[in-house]
């Protein structure tokens, strides 16, 4: 029995180390999947907004004849926003900033459109327009919620891969820190509304 004791101890030590490293990897994989799911939710919320913009623009076009430049700005901002693609497995702060910038362009254009529309009483009374306006407000809330949940999913993932001793193995397994959503430049200033 004594002859096999070193082998048994070695096997137990190897098994414990294997289980520990496997736990680090599997937890990181699970947390990474949560981040990717949250990113999918963010994309879905933005896609909903982009789909609604087309309906809003068509409703406004049909109900009012006003500044073509405002409608053009909304359509161009939507086009730019949908052209920015991000791989959720490799989200970098730079990619997220570019995505955020494109999406803030849509928000800004929509705000100008909705402010411009205030001058058209027949449009404000149009039920289709009012419904779309409510849907856009609801969608903006969904986007905020999805972005918040994304940041909430990123935090435990980043914490897991950056804490010692997990940080020793996270890099070996290919896990990298994920970027958080942050406010776009100038978001701390109040929005100027002109009629």
């Amino acid at each position: 029995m004594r002859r096999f004791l070193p082998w048994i101890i070695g096997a137990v030590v190897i098994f414990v180390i294997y289980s520990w490293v496997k736990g680090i990897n599997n937890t990181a994989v699970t947390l990474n999947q949560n981040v990717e799911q949250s990113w999918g939710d963010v994309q879905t919320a933005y896609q909903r907004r982009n789909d609604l913009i087309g309906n809003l623009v068509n409703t406004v076009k049909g109900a009012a004849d006003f500044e073509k430049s405002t409608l053009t700005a909304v359509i161009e901002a939507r086009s730019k926003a949908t052209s920015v693609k991000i791989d959720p497995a490799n989200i970098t702060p730079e990619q997220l900033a570019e995505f955020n910038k494109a999406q803030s362009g849509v928000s800004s254009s929509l705000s100008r459109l909705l402010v411009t529309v205030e001058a058209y009483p027949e449009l404000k009374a149009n039920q289709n327009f009012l419904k779309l306006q409510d849907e856009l407000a609801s969608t903006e809330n969904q986007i905020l919620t999805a972005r918040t949940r994304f940041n909430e999913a990123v935090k435990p993932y980043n914490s897991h891969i950056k804490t010692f001793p997990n940080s020793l193995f996270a890099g070996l397994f290919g896990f990298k820190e994920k970027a958080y959503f942050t406010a776009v430049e100038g978001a701390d200033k109040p929005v100027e509304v002109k009629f």
Side-chain angles (χ1 to χ4, degrees):
M1 181 71 166
R2 285 182 170 224
R3 187 170 56 164
F4 296 111
L5 189 59
W7 290 100
I8 293 171
I9 291 172
V12 168
V13 168
I14 289 172
F15 179 75
V16 168
I17 291 172
Y18 166 78
S19 297
W20 176 63
V21 171
K22 182 178 113 183
I24 290 171
N25 182 65
N26 290 350
T27 301
V29 167
T30 301
L31 293 171
N32 188 47
Q33 289 299 307
N34 290 343
V35 170
E36 289 188 20
Q37 177 191 1
S38 295
W39 180 249
D41 293 343
V42 168
Q43 294 286 80
T44 300
Y46 279 120
Q47 183 62 51
R48 181 172 189 256
R49 178 173 72 175
N50 288 333
D51 293 344
L52 283 171
I53 288 171
N55 292 331
L56 176 66
V57 167
N58 289 335
T59 300
V60 172
K61 262 189 206 175
D65 184 24
F66 66 97
E67 275 190 71
K68 194 173 189 178
S69 63
T70 305
L71 288 174
T72 304
V74 171
I75 292 167
E76 286 174 1
R78 176 184 176 220
S79 176
K80 282 182 188 173
T82 56
S83 70
V84 177
K85 301 290 183 210
I86 294 180
D87 175 15
N90 297 314
I91 296 174
T92 64
E94 293 80 20
Q95 288 175 324
L96 206 51
E98 182 183 350
F99 180 82
N100 223 3
K101 184 178 176 185
Q103 295 301 332
S104 70
V106 174
S107 296
S108 175
S109 297
L110 280 175
S111 295
R112 283 194 305 275
L113 173 65
L114 295 175
V115 166
T116 304
V117 162
E118 292 294 320
Y120 296 89
E122 72 279 357
L123 185 59
K124 290 193 302 187
N126 180 311
Q127 290 302 313
N128 289 337
F129 176 75
L130 293 175
K131 181 166 176 26
L132 283 171
Q133 200 173 11
D134 287 344
E135 287 291 329
L136 278 171
S138 170
T139 300
E140 292 300 319
N141 286 334
Q142 288 177 3
I143 289 170
L144 173 64
T145 301
R147 288 173 60 160
T148 301
R149 288 183 180 155
F150 174 79
N151 282 349
E152 289 171 354
V154 167
K155 182 181 178 184
Y157 169 82
N158 283 348
S159 296
H160 179 74
I161 67 163
K162 290 176 77 176
T163 55
F164 183 80
N166 300 356
S167 58
L168 298 174
F169 298 101
L172 293 174
F173 296 140
F175 295 105
K176 297 177 187 136
E177 184 177 2
K178 305 277 188 200
Y180 288 97
F181 265 108
T182 56
V184 292
E185 191 175 318
D188 55 334
K189 296 178 179 81
V191 177
E192 185 179 332
V193 179
K194 293 179 184 177
F195 290 99

